[in-house]
Amino acid sequence: MRTQVAIIGAGPAGSLLSLLLKRHGIDSVVIERQTKDYVLERIRAGILEWTSVEILRAAGLGQRLDVEGHVHNSVKLAWRAEEMLSVDFERLAGKPMMAYGQTKVQQDLYAAAEAEGVSIIYGATDVDIHDVTSDRPWITFTANGESERLDCDYVAGCDGQHGISRTAIPTSITTEYERAYPFGWLGILSETPPLPHLLYANHERGFALCSERNPMLSRYYVQCPLDDSVEDWSDDRFWSELLTRLPKSEADAIVTGPSIEKSIAPLRSYVLEPMQYGRLFLAGDAAHIVPPTGAKGLNLAISDVHYLSEAFAAAYNGSANKLAAYSTTALARVWGSVRFSWWLTVLLHRFPDQSPFEQRAREEDLNYLAGSEAAQTSFAEQYVGLNL
Ligand code: APR
Ligand code: PHB
């Protein structure tokens, strides 16, 4: 087989990249390890920066999100179980954000890929990348029991945090930046009406977050010890802990119900530099991971492939400058979101080894945020997404 861009991974990064390339008349083949249903069943992020909304709309992928997406002009922050702050995005940052589940983004991307004849090969195993420092790289993989070879001009590594494309860059030229957090997030889905706004809570017992997927599907999280398992958390224990960590006015507004999904995710910050090597270009979780606190993972995948698709288009039109600068361009935005996600995670969580001083100092950070329009503006413009 032959194509112009071979894409490894059909998550948000890989599947959106294939569609953006098609908009530029560039041919690609996406090679995905899992089945389509497996990818669609993953419960992941739920927030789109306005920049992401605009990228999806510009690519003709905004029809459903413009109907089912829930635009939010603010989020609430709570601390000490009774203090509360609402940060007004429109007034402070000039744009809102949108609650729209990654599952729906993925459904929309796969529907468009099918409608437009984009080639996605599911169930591919033994994927390997060859000759990325030549001008004719190629990929090998097994699909339907057959060994396959895909010749291409470029390779896009969109295979997430457990992918292989990152390993094709020699460690002699890479730098890894990493921080693991000493706690996890226990998340549930419940078929109950969500709060009218997103609510982030710092509590001395730990972080809590109230979010949504649709008017009858709520998404809630509580910080939990890393060694906890889902079995340690009955629905009753979850609801009791969540309501304890929220201000009473908010807790009283929560409609509880049976969980239809319950999972624990660890929190990690990770950046690999550079994000390119020869004719291999990394995008999304393949190159960086953020703790979910700032809801940046999906949005960084989208901005990476926006830059990468523009760089490939320029290269095929005779100008290789954007492609040569891709890693630098993408990392500028990646580090902005990585820093914000780290800062917000430290601000809102209870660290096991912290002293009462750290907890009280964090609460003072929130008091300062509540009293400073400058601080709220800084928070707002980073939360809704800095301009590309
Ligand atoms: N060969 C082929 N496909 C692979 C391989 C491999 N060796 N390894 C991983 N994959 C696939 C995975 O099955 C997955 O579908 O690559 C895809 C990577 O998708 P994501 O992990 O969703 O990463 P990305 O597309 O960058 O999107 C980032 O998704 O994981 C969330 O929180 C993250 O919201 C963020 C977004
Ligand atoms: C979610 O809805 O899953 C969500 C929302 C906001 C976050 C993280 C996760 O910061």
Side-chain angles (χ1 to χ4, degrees):
M1 290 186 284
R2 172 136 189 73
T3 189
Q4 290 176 291
V5 180
I7 299 172
I8 302 178
S15 48
L16 178 57
L17 177 60
S18 65
L19 288 160
L20 295 178
L21 291 176
K22 191 161 180 60
R23 300 288 179 281
H24 290 291
I26 298 169
D27 185 48
S28 65
V29 171
V30 190
I31 301 167
E32 167 57 47
R33 175 165 63 184
Q34 304 292 354
T35 64
K36 178 177 171 183
D37 288 345
Y38 183 95
V39 178
L40 287 171
E41 277 155 17
R42 289 186 191 129
I43 302 293
R44 291 288 172 73
I47 298 299
L48 292 177
E49 293 177 345
W50 207 247
T51 314
S52 298
V53 171
E54 291 170 337
I55 289 169
L56 292 169
R57 280 178 179 163
L61 299 163
Q63 296 86 344
R64 186 179 172 205
L65 71 80
D66 278 333
V67 172
E68 297 182 22
H70 184 180
V71 175
H72 284 267
N73 277 322
S74 65
V75 293
K76 283 192 175 181
L77 300 174
W79 62 103
R80 296 171 69 88
E82 77 273 350
E83 299 293 336
M84 197 111 77
L85 162 66
S86 179
V87 181
D88 185 334
F89 297 142
E90 199 73 60
R91 181 172 66 82
L92 296 167
K95 54 188 175 179
M97 57 84 170
M98 181 184 279
Y100 189 68
Q102 180 169 322
T103 304
K104 289 185 176 179
V105 172
Q106 194 64 69
Q107 289 167 346
D108 297 347
L109 293 173
Y110 282 171
E114 263 176 43
E116 300 181 31
V118 168
S119 172
I120 301 180
I121 298 170
Y122 296 100
T125 55
D126 310 318
V127 177
D128 208 351
I129 305 169
H130 309 273
D131 293 353
V132 289
T133 54
S134 76
D135 59 4
R136 299 184 67 77
W138 44 293
I139 309 289
T140 51
F141 61 94
T142 303
N144 305 314
E146 297 290 323
S147 296
E148 303 285 357
R149 170 173 168 146
L150 174 63
D151 288 290
C152 53
D153 299 330
Y154 301 102
V155 181
C158 301
D159 46 354
Q161 64 176 311
H162 305 300
I164 53 112
S165 54
R166 168 166 71 244
T167 61
I169 306 180
T171 52
S172 56
I173 67 160
T174 59
T175 305
E176 291 184 305
Y177 300 88
E178 182 163 16
R179 167 146 191 204
Y181 298 90
F183 40 74
W185 277 18
L186 169 68
I188 73 158
L189 281 175
S190 60
E191 291 171 324
T192 54
L195 292 177
H197 43 262
L198 266 73
L199 171 63
Y200 294 82
N202 166 302
H203 188 277
E204 60 185 9
R205 291 178 63 87
F207 170 80
L209 169 60
C210 305
S211 183
E212 64 181 58
R213 286 294 177 273
N214 67 48
M216 271 310 287
L217 190 59
S218 297
R219 181 70 166 160
Y220 293 107
Y221 299 94
V222 294
Q223 171 186 345
C224 68
L226 263 182
D227 52 7
D228 270 12
S229 67
V230 170
E231 290 67 36
D232 297 323
W233 287 84
S234 67
D235 282 4
D236 288 348
R237 181 185 175 198
F238 178 87
W239 290 119
S240 165
E241 193 60 44
L242 177 77
L243 301 186
T244 301
R245 298 183 185 184
L246 304 178
K248 188 177 183 323
S249 60
E250 299 291 327
D252 290 347
I254 294 233
V255 178
T256 63
S259 62
I260 59 169
E261 193 272 345
K262 194 182 287 179
S263 53
I264 293 180
L267 276 69
R268 190 158 74 93
S269 296
Y270 174 86
V271 179
L272 179 77
E273 292 189 1
M275 290 173 56
Q276 68 189 87
Y277 175 67
R279 289 188 169 230
L280 169 65
F281 300 84
L282 305 182
D285 276 16
H288 42 72
I289 300 292
V290 286
T293 324
K296 294 299 179 189
L298 174 57
N299 293 292
L300 281 177
I302 291 171
S303 53
D304 282 352
V305 297
H306 166 79
Y307 292 131
L308 187 52
S309 62
E310 301 271 314
F312 280 137
Y316 280 109
N317 285 322
S319 166
N321 296 344
K322 279 189 177 180
L323 210 47
Y326 163 70
S327 179
T328 303
T329 306
L331 283 169
R333 184 176 182 87
V334 163
W335 273 111
S337 293
V338 164
R339 188 213 68 83
F340 177 71
S341 302
W342 161 76
W343 171 80
L344 195 57
T345 300
V346 171
L347 178 68
L348 296 178
H349 288 74
R350 171 164 181 57
F351 284 67
D353 59 351
Q354 76 179 36
S355 69
F357 173 86
E358 274 97 352
Q359 178 61 22
R360 184 64 189 83
R362 277 191 200 108
E363 289 166 2
E364 196 48 40
D365 268 336
L366 287 154
N367 287 332
Y368 172 68
L369 194 60
S372 163
E373 175 131 331
Q376 291 174 37
T377 302
S378 171
F379 176 91
E381 68 180 16
Q382 294 181 85
Y383 189 98
V384 298
L386 297 170
N387 293 332
L388 284 172

